[in-house]
Amino acid sequence: MLQSLSAALAEISLPQLALIAGMALIASIIGGVAGYGTGALMPLVLVPIVGAEPVVPILSLSALLTNTGRATAFWSLVDGRRALIALLAAVPTCVLGAWGYTMLTGKGAALVIGAMLVATVPLRRLMRRRGLALSSRGLAAACFGWGPLAGGTLGAGILLLSLLMAAGLEGAAVVATDAVISIGIGLAKLTTFGLAGVVNATVVAIALLIGGVAFPGAFLAKRLIERLPLHVHTAILGAVVIGGGAAMILNAFAR
């Protein structure tokens, strides 16, 4: 097993591995502060290196480590009831979304990922501007609809943050509860991708690299979360997400 993982990483140059590791650490810190980051930023370096198709499986596996670190760091703030409601509603449709992703071609995967990244920023702002409030039933219904996006795209975590805030969570409690939900979603996606045969040695090796580097980022973020203005991180990440998503869409059409 170790030999196959080493062989998979050997196919990627050292500068590329360093770029992946560096972005993983940065994304994990931003994600720990703002509640999202890894799913939005990592495709910007992964797609040019490994292609679009394996990106969602890679980040589904690495997310188990990054979100475990985040959940551990903020465990006392997790809202267990809302996390359970979200998981029960989202997992079934998440599996359908993940299965649908395995049917996409390279161009189709790039278009879906890019479009999702571009759309998530204005959608989140629109939800916040309108002051959307969700009851427990409303949260369940919204998460049921969110499930396919979580299963088949990247960047959908931004929408989950908006749903949790609309359900009444604030501050670090949003980050903590999002992490727990994301662990459950990650397990569902990983199981689906495994059954579909899209989890290979390269996927596992890169995911472990990202997860291993990113795990400490949650604890660094915990120290920063009360010192740095959240709106600054949100604005910067939003610009990066939209720009990166647009670039991926253009590249897909250029194929």
Side-chain angles (χ1 to χ4, degrees):
M1 180 65 177
L2 291 177
Q3 290 181 342
S4 62
L5 294 179
S6 299
L9 289 179
E11 298 177 358
I12 303 174
S13 69
L14 287 178
Q16 289 175 328
L17 290 175
L19 180 61
I20 292 172
M23 180 61 83
L25 181 59
I26 293 171
S28 69
I29 295 173
I30 294 176
V33 174
Y36 60 95
T38 303
L41 295 177
M42 289 309 301
L44 304 182
V45 297
L46 288 176
V47 171
I49 295 173
V50 301
E53 295 96 327
V55 170
V56 171
I58 287 172
L59 293 183
S60 298
L61 177 54
S62 67
L64 296 181
L65 292 174
T66 57
N67 284 306
T68 296
R70 195 178 303 170
T72 301
F74 297 96
W75 182 252
S76 62
L77 299 172
V78 173
D79 189 313
R81 184 177 69 84
R82 288 188 174 93
L84 182 61
I85 290 172
L87 284 171
L88 290 176
V91 166
T93 54
C94 167
V95 170
L96 292 177
W99 177 81
Y101 180 86
T102 65
M103 302 293 105
L104 294 175
T105 63
K107 181 176 180 178
L111 285 173
V112 170
I113 294 172
M116 187 64 202
L117 291 176
V118 171
T120 50
V121 175
L123 282 175
R124 181 172 183 261
R125 290 178 179 175
L126 179 63
M127 291 174 68
R128 293 184 67 180
R129 188 181 303 120
R130 293 194 173 184
L132 181 63
L134 294 176
S135 63
S136 294
R137 289 184 179 181
L139 177 63
C143 286
F144 184 82
W146 169 77
L149 298 178
T153 67
L154 296 169
I158 300 176
L159 296 179
L160 177 60
L161 294 176
S162 297
L163 295 178
L164 292 176
M165 287 187 287
L169 296 182
E170 296 179 346
V174 178
V175 176
T177 307
D178 170 84
V180 171
I181 296 170
S182 296
I183 291 172
I185 292 297
L187 288 171
K189 291 167 67 174
L190 187 60
T191 300
T192 304
F193 291 141
L195 293 174
V198 298
V199 178
N200 53 34
T202 300
V203 168
V204 174
I206 297 177
L208 291 177
L209 171 64
I210 294 172
V213 171
F215 191 91
F219 295 90
L220 293 174
K222 186 178 182 180
R223 297 188 175 216
L224 292 172
I225 199 167
E226 294 181 352
R227 301 179 183 180
L228 299 179
L230 184 59
H231 69 278
V232 173
H233 291 271
T234 303
I236 293 174
L237 185 59
V240 172
V241 168
I242 291 177
M248 291 175 63
I249 292 174
L250 291 175
N251 288 336
F253 279 115
R255 293 185 180 184

